[in-house]
Amino acid sequence: MKTDVLKRPTDWFKVHSFKNLEDPSGKIERREIVVSLDQYPYGFGLGPNPRLPNLSSPVSRKIGDTLTETWQTFHLLNRGVTLVAKKVDYDNKSERVRLVMADEPNEERLYGILDGGNTNERINKWRDELTEDEAKAKLTESFVNVQILVPAINHAGELGPEMLDLLNDIKEARNTSVQVKSKSLADARRHFDVLKNALSGEPYYNDISWREGEGGTVDALQIITLLMIFYPRFAAAADGEPSNAYGHKERCLDAFLEYSRNQAEELERWISIVPTLVRLFDELQVTLPEYYSGTFGKIEEVKIFDEKRYQKGQKKYRNTPVKSQFLGTAMKYQYPVGWLYPLFAAFRHLVAASRDGLDVVWRRDPTQFCKEHGAELMKRYEPHIREAGYETKKIATSYICYQAMGQAIKDLYKDELLKGAGIDV
């Protein structure tokens, strides 16, 4: 059917039943309605929802099957949709409801679907696929349960901090039933805002996935992992080396959330260098094969971009170049990204607090340092990766390897200082 004939959230729409529930806490007004799917509005925003709908997920597909196969009892088989609205108007004579949602663009993240995004999306998809005759026959006899939460507004006409926290707690509690990732809930709580601001000008920004179901080739947790590797408190909690970061993105996120609550100002200073961290990681990924003293392509785990040899059926070769993790630079060699972690982590010894303690600064430009000392760094690094048999996990989690590469950076930087002071080394 044509969706343009459906009601919008701010239109008057007829409901089958309406109930006003008194909230014992007195903090939120609650309304519960049952509405037929010919009246259920089209166009609800997803601002408060920590997870974008995912039509390919098992949960979503099951909702779709329920609608298709048992549409007359859908309201009994589905939990329904929870909305946050500014106000609910109800005309008991005509049994119609009208919702007041966001008035300004900056309020769109506060009002709309809090829980049930997949249900809403599946209802819209099902209605869109019905013929006009099917719609007339089915939509008036199929229903959905809708709970509407109307939070109290403070004297400034806004949702105060306590109310925002309460709504976040509600959304977090209700979404655990479908195992919403911590990343999605962190984004919903605005914990990523400072990080987003720091990265907003980067070329890969639009490719970052900040919450579950969101498209993007770069997982925000990958970036948070890089930050935690450099953040001193994270390494201090792991006996001085961040060797526990690899393979534990959720652990890094948990640490990030803890620090954002308890050391917000300090963490914000470290977030300021994240764009440089990402560029450094990409630089290392692209150039590591250049600094390798042996024949990099002969390592068993390495694949090589060579269309002609690929076409000859040689498994060692790829027909397309692999791209670097963040900036998408085409590379000749494909190899495990975990090999980079101890080397990348070592560069944290080139970072320090400014003299006034208000900023985090680089003692040396890390990319330039890498270009000048790449060969020497690889000379010290190669024995460790060879000893590990080029096994990714062994390399990426080796405490000794992290220590050794950290010492290498410190030695090379110290030599630079001595030479700058006219002292031979």
Side-chain angles (χ1 to χ4, degrees):
M1 68 173 295
K2 296 180 180 179
T3 55
D4 58 3
V5 302
L6 294 168
K7 304 287 185 179
R8 299 293 162 168
T10 53
D11 294 335
W12 285 100
F13 59 94
K14 190 173 179 61
V15 298
H16 178 78
S17 61
F18 178 94
K19 190 173 184 179
N20 185 358
L21 296 178
E22 182 180 350
D23 178 50
S25 72
K27 295 180 178 179
I28 290 182
E29 296 180 14
R30 293 193 294 166
R31 311 284 188 266
E32 289 193 356
I33 63 175
V34 178
V35 56
S36 60
L37 295 190
D38 66 320
Q39 292 290 309
Y40 176 70
Y42 179 88
F44 283 114
L46 294 168
N49 199 305
R51 181 185 64 257
L52 294 178
N54 181 2
L55 291 174
S56 63
S57 72
V59 171
S60 179
R61 288 197 295 267
K62 187 173 181 179
I63 294 171
D65 292 341
T66 304
L67 269 171
T68 302
E69 299 167 8
T70 55
W71 45 272
Q72 289 174 309
T73 55
F74 179 72
H75 62 290
L76 299 176
L77 304 175
N78 181 270
R79 187 172 59 187
V81 177
T82 300
L83 306 171
V84 180
K86 277 190 169 184
K87 184 182 178 184
V88 180
D89 293 324
Y90 177 59
D91 184 341
N92 58 6
K93 291 183 178 180
S94 64
E95 296 181 323
R96 293 180 185 274
V97 165
R98 180 174 62 186
L99 304 175
V100 178
M101 310 299 282
D103 293 322
E104 304 289 341
N106 62 355
E107 293 181 334
E108 291 177 358
R109 68 181 179 85
L110 303 175
Y111 299 101
I113 294 177
L114 180 78
D115 184 37
N118 278 308
T119 294
N120 177 76
E121 193 75 6
R122 277 293 173 179
I123 288 173
N124 289 335
K125 186 176 188 298
W126 185 62
R127 293 190 296 190
D128 186 55
E129 292 172 348
L130 293 176
T131 65
E132 295 300 321
D133 289 338
E134 288 174 331
K136 290 178 182 178
K138 294 182 177 181
L139 293 186
T140 58
E141 296 184 18
S142 52
F143 301 85
V144 63
N145 304 299
V146 180
Q147 183 179 71
I148 308 165
L149 304 179
V150 183
I153 297 175
N154 62 23
H155 295 298
E158 301 172 345
L159 298 180
E162 291 185 6
M163 180 55 65
L164 289 173
D165 285 342
L166 176 59
L167 288 174
N168 279 320
D169 288 341
I170 293 171
K171 119 186 18 167
E172 196 162 320
R174 296 193 180 193
N175 279 281
T176 52
S177 61
V178 288
Q179 297 182 334
V180 176
K181 292 180 180 177
S182 298
K183 180 179 74 171
S184 299
L185 295 172
D187 184 48
R189 284 187 175 272
R190 322 301 289 177
H191 287 298
F192 291 158
D193 282 4
V194 176
L195 187 57
K196 286 181 177 180
N197 289 337
L199 294 168
S200 60
E202 298 301 304
Y204 51 85
Y205 180 77
N206 291 331
D207 295 322
I208 301 174
S209 170
W210 296 99
R211 53 181 177 173
E212 182 187 3
E214 191 171 47
T217 56
V218 178
D219 187 346
L221 296 192
Q222 295 170 329
I223 296 175
I224 287 173
T225 298
L226 300 188
L227 171 61
M228 287 299 99
I229 287 173
F230 267 64
Y231 190 54
R233 291 180 186 271
F234 184 84
D239 296 327
E241 297 293 341
S243 56
N244 62 340
Y246 175 77
H248 296 285
K249 291 188 290 186
E250 290 290 341
R251 176 185 294 168
C252 292
L253 176 59
D254 289 343
F256 173 84
L257 296 179
E258 178 184 345
Y259 299 138
S260 69
R261 287 190 294 267
N262 300 322
Q263 286 86 31
E265 291 185 6
E266 180 186 79
L267 182 63
E268 186 171 342
R269 290 195 288 273
W270 283 86
I271 287 175
S272 68
I273 69 167
V274 167
T276 308
L277 297 184
V278 173
R279 290 193 292 272
L280 171 62
F281 194 89
D282 241 59
E283 174 72 15
L284 291 171
Q285 187 177 11
V286 172
T287 60
L288 183 142
E290 298 175 13
Y291 298 123
Y292 189 80
S293 63
T295 305
F296 193 74
K298 288 186 177 181
I299 301 173
E300 184 179 351
E301 290 78 5
V302 175
K303 303 292 183 183
I304 307 171
F305 166 56
D306 190 318
E307 290 180 285
K308 292 182 179 179
R309 294 189 178 184
Y310 173 83
Q311 290 170 0
K312 291 180 180 179
Q314 299 183 31
K315 295 181 180 180
K316 182 73 172 176
Y317 299 92
R318 292 174 49 93
N319 67 334
T320 55
V322 67
K323 293 185 178 181
S324 60
Q325 188 164 2
F326 299 103
L327 298 179
T329 303
M331 303 190 302
K332 179 180 179 180
Y333 297 102
Q334 178 186 16
Y335 60 94
V337 73
W339 289 3
L340 299 170
Y341 275 64
L343 187 58
F344 169 78
F347 280 81
R348 73 189 194 278
H349 297 291
L350 294 181
V351 180
S354 60
R355 290 183 178 180
D356 58 13
L358 298 178
D359 296 297
V360 171
V361 296
W362 290 95
R363 295 188 174 103
R364 281 275 275 111
D365 177 87
T367 302
Q368 187 61 34
F369 191 91
C370 177
K371 290 177 180 178
E372 294 173 9
H373 300 291
E376 178 62 25
L377 286 171
M378 278 305 299
K379 180 180 178 182
R380 301 195 190 193
Y381 192 36
E382 286 174 31
H384 296 280
I385 60 178
R386 282 197 294 267
E387 184 178 348
Y390 300 100
E391 192 173 323
T392 305
K393 188 175 180 180
K394 282 186 178 180
I395 296 169
T397 60
S398 169
Y399 187 89
I400 293 175
C401 189
Y402 280 80
Q403 279 188 320
M405 295 316 299
Q407 189 61 49
I409 291 283
K410 288 188 283 187
D411 289 345
L412 290 169
Y413 179 64
K414 181 184 70 175
D415 288 347
E416 282 190 350
L417 294 179
L418 291 173
K419 287 180 180 179
I423 301 173
D424 292 331
V425 295

